[in-house]
């Protein structure tokens, strides 16, 4: 069972860290030197998700990298927690317009780096959509990411419009992206309707202000 | 001398029975023994009739077994028990034991018993929340004690049998024939007639008092027992939580099973919470007769609580999640990624329900809606024909179910748990009306 594998892996990590003199967390050591360490990966990813929802994109990304430092090379088939982490990283990249700088593998200073981050996000979200089809949250995120790439605006508009018709857009950012796309398309009524939904849903101020597309725009 | 007609219609002297002349007087005197005998016979007949009439009025009616219920198919019933996953809650001989992540009560039981592997501070916090969710009746008595017809009705329209037990039997998507098959598998036996001749229901009532049965059992519909279960400021103990309202016994239980149970509960069901109060056979018969035949007041009809207006203040998802979704709903509508693939009956499927893909564990999950019958996603906020958002309609329907009715086409939520309070529904409704702010 997965829980047994996690406990065994954690136990091995705990024993290794004890050998190095490091304090293991969160359980305190028993006198006989054997300790069971509860899985810390899951709560860390959960905290990173909370940070993302609160608009703390870089903090969310750092949290993910602490658990999965090589997530940029991660495969979509690597298990549910990794999938969630990859989605988080993709959103952090999208919501910083690609200007995500964290660790060695994530640089977002130049236009080229920002474009690369957005492209990674889009590719990751497309992969997630294939693995988990018919999931509005992933489709919303993909639509949001595609809206950042000027070359994919039409696809983003179609995707987000279909979700909006069924009241299945799952984030304020998704509605913000839809509002922007409708404005570009000249649909002012649609733009306003989407903006209104964004404002009703948004947790953090500024979420609904129309954002620019990234340097990846054609 | 007044003259009476004798029994043969002849006029005779009233004192002597004489016919009026000497020979007649003599013959009348000879008729006296016959007349006396006749009068005595008549008096005896009248007396017997009177005694029978009075005796009939004072003897209580004997409970009689209902006519045999139509049988279903035992093999199909056993297969349905697996399909509807009765073992998620009930332990019993004819269902596979469910693993912990599918058992509705095992985690709570392990937490309370100190068997759950988790940080101590987490366990301490959880213990407070799961006190009311640790007990579930087993079906160990069903084969010999339950009436099949009652079981069939109960499966289709569950009622609250245990007023002190928070969870209740969920309303599953059973067809009438499936209910019959399950009932036949669980309660297959024919019920023998049991005579309660000589039993005294009034004494049975006294025994319920003196033996302290009211310390655990309610018996709604009869004058209240002097001892009552303690009002639970905290969670009820196991005996109180599992003690059924005795009102339902006459429909639910076989008379022979009830007697056996009263005489030696542990022999019938080892480990039972029901104590052996040391009844003689005669006392058990008296109690059983009272339980099965005491006149009952009509069930008081209740109405669903009044719906509260939406709040004037701002309501965020975090508040709704803390007070409603993550308190109650996510037990069945969980996130599989965080629950090792098991999203609960309301998400990945269970209790015979297809997976509906509805997670109420986080904002994304709620906003992602659920799968309809065709496998397409639909919003849980989509309006019903009367304009009520679907999610809200399900919460309101549970209140209707608790009042003894049902809403066609809408299964009340939370399944198998008490309806949300009017204040909790008000919170959800306000949040929806505000546009579901994160």
């Amino acid at each position: 069972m997965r829980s047994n594998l996690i406990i065994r892996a954690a136990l091995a990590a705990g024993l290794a860290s004890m050998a190095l003199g490091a304090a293991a967390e969160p359980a305190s050591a028993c006198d006989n030197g054997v300790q069971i360490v509860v899985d810390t990966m899951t709560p860390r990813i959960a905290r990173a998700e909370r940070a993302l929802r609160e608009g703390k994109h870089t903090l969310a990304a750092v949290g993910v990298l602490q658990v999965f430092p090589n997530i940029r090379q991660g495969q979509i088939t690597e298990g549910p927690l990794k999938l969630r982490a990859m989605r988080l990283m993709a959103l952090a990249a999208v919501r910083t317009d690609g200007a995500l700088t964290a660790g060695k593998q994530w640089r977002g200073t130049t236009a080229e780096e920002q474009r690369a981050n957005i492209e990674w996000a889009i590719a990751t979200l497309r992969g997630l959509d294939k693995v988990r089809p018919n999931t509005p949250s992933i489709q919303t995120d993909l639509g949001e990411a595609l809206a950042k790439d000027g070359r994919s605006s039409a696809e983003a508009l179609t995707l987000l419009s279909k979700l909006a018709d069924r009241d299945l857009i799952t984030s304020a950012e998704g509605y913000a992206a839809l509002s922007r796309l409708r404005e570009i398309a000249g649909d002012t009524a649609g733009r306003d309707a989407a903006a209104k939904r964004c404002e009703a849903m948004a947790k953090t101020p500024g979420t609904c202000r129309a954002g620019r597309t990234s340097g990846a725009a054609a | 001398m007044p003259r009476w007609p004798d029994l043969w219609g002849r006029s005779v002297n009233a004192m002597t029975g004489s016919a009026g002349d000497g020979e007649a007087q003599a013959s009348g005197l000879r008729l006296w023994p016959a007349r006396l005998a006749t009068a005595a016979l008549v008096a005896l007949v009248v007396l017997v009739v009177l005694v029978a009439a009075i005796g009939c009025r004072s003897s209580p009616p004997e409970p009689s077994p209902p006519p045999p219920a139509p049988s279903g198919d035992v093999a199909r019933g056993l297969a349905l028990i697996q399909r509807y996953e009765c073992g998620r809650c009930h332990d019993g001989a004819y269902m596979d034991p469910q693993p912990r992540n599918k058992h509705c009560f095992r985690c709570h039981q392990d937490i309370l018993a100190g068997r759950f592997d988790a940080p101590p501070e987490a366990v301490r916090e959880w213990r407070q929340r799961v006190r009311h969710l640790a007990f579930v009746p087993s079906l160990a008595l069903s084969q010999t004690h339950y009436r099949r017809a009652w079981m069939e009705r109960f499966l289709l329209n569950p009622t609250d049998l245990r007023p002190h037990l928070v969870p209740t039997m969920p309303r599953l998507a059973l067809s009438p024939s499936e209910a019959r098959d399950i009932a036949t598998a669980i309660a297959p036996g024919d019920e023998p007639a049991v005579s309660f001749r000589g039993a005294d229901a009034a004494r049975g009532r006294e025994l319920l008092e003196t033996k302290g049965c009211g310390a655990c059992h309610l018996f709604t519909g009869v004058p209240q027992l002097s001892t009552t279960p303690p009002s639970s400021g905290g969670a009820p103990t196991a005996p109180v939580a599992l003690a059924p309202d005795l009102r339902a016994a006459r429909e639910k239980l076989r008379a022979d099973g009830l007697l056996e149970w009263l005489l030696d509960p542990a022999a019938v069901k080892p480990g039972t919470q029901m104590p052996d109060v040391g009844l003689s056979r005669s006392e058990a018969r008296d109690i059983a007769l009272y339980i099965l035949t005491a006149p009952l007041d009509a069930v008081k009809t209740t109405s669903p609580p009044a719906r509260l207006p939406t709040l004037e203040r701002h309501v965020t998802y975090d508040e709704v999640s803390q007070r409603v979704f993550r308190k109650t709903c996510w037990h069945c509508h969980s996130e599989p990624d965080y629950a090792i693939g098991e999203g609960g009956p309301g998400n990945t499927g269970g209790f015979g329900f297809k997976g509906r893909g509805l997670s109420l564990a986080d904002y994304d999950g709620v906003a992602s809606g659920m799968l309809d019958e065709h496998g397409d996603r639909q919003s849980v906020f989509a309006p019903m024909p009367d304009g009520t958002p679907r999610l809200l309609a399900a919460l309101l329907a549970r209140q209707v179910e608790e009042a003894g009715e049902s809403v066609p086409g809408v299964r009340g939520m939370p399944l198998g748990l008490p309806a949300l309070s009017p204040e909790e529904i008000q919170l959800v409704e306000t949040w929806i009306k505000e546009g579901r702010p994160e």
Side-chain angles (χ1 to χ4, degrees), chain B residues 84-86 88-90 104-105 136 154-159 167-174 332 351 353 398 401 411-412 414-417:
Chain B
Y84 283 98
E85 297 182 323
C86 305
R88 274 191 187 248
C89 299
H90 297 292
C104 295
F105 294 86
V136 57
F154 181 74
L155 288 170
L156 290 171
N157 188 24
T159 52
T168 56
M169 173 71 182
R171 192 174 289 258
L172 303 179
L174 286 165
C332 289
F351 286 144
F353 296 113
R398 186 74 185 109
E401 287 171 2
R411 195 172 309 279
L415 198 72
L417 287 173

Side-chain angles (χ1 to χ4, degrees), chain B residues 304-334:
Chain B
R307 199 161 151 188
L308 298 175
T310 50
L311 294 163
E312 296 289 320
R313 64 176 177 84
H314 185 55
V315 174
T316 63
Y317 169 76
D318 283 342
E319 186 180 1
V320 176
S321 175
Q322 188 184 17
R323 287 180 57 186
V324 178
F325 294 152
R326 280 219 167 190
K327 181 183 162 196
T328 301
C329 311
W330 78 329
H331 285 84
C332 289
H333 295 276
S334 188

Side-chain angles (χ1 to χ4, degrees), chain B residues 21-91:
Chain B
D21 56 20
E23 279 188 9
Q25 283 183 355
S27 69
L29 279 170
R30 282 197 295 276
L31 285 171
W32 261 112
R35 289 172 190 150
L36 279 173
T38 303
L41 181 63
V42 168
L44 180 64
V45 168
V46 169
L47 184 64
V48 166
V49 169
L50 279 172
V51 166
I54 292 168
C56 283
R57 275 200 295 276
S58 67
S59 299
E62 288 221 346
S64 54
S71 277
D73 186 293
V74 171
R76 267 207 306 268
L78 291 173
L80 286 167
I81 287 169
Q82 304 298 330
R83 180 178 147 203
Y84 283 98
E85 297 182 323
C86 305
R88 274 191 187 248
C89 299
H90 297 292
D91 296 325

Side-chain angles (χ1 to χ4, degrees), chain A residues 2-3 38 42 45-46 49 53 80-81 84 87 132 134 136-137 166-168 170-173 197 200-201 203, chain B residues 118-119 317-318 335 337-338 340-341 362-364 367-369 371 375-379 381 434-438:
Chain A
R2 270 177 252 179
S3 59
V38 176
T42 304
I45 296 300
E49 284 184 337
R53 276 190 54 217
L81 197 65
R84 291 186 86 90
R87 179 181 167 225
R132 294 201 171 165
N134 207 6
S137 55
R166 293 181 293 149
D167 194 12
L168 289 173
T170 60
S171 67
E173 289 84 355
R197 284 297 297 127
M201 285 168 71
K203 189 179 172 87
Chain B
Y317 169 76
D318 283 342
E335 173 48 60
D337 290 347
Y338 285 135
I340 319 176
D362 54 30
Y363 189 93
D364 281 345
S368 290
L371 297 168
D376 296 324
R377 281 273 168 186
Q378 67 172 187
S379 171
F381 307 107
E434 284 192 328
R436 294 119 56 185
E438 291 188 34

Side-chain angles (χ1 to χ4, degrees), chain B residues 377-416:
Chain B
R377 281 273 168 186
Q378 67 172 187
S379 171
V380 294
F381 307 107
M384 304 293 284
D386 67 353
T388 306
R390 176 172 284 274
L391 174 65
L392 195 62
L395 300 176
L396 293 168
R398 186 74 185 109
Q399 291 182 331
V400 173
E401 287 171 2
E402 281 195 339
E405 303 290 334
S406 61
V407 178
V410 183
R411 195 172 309 279
M413 292 291 157
L415 198 72

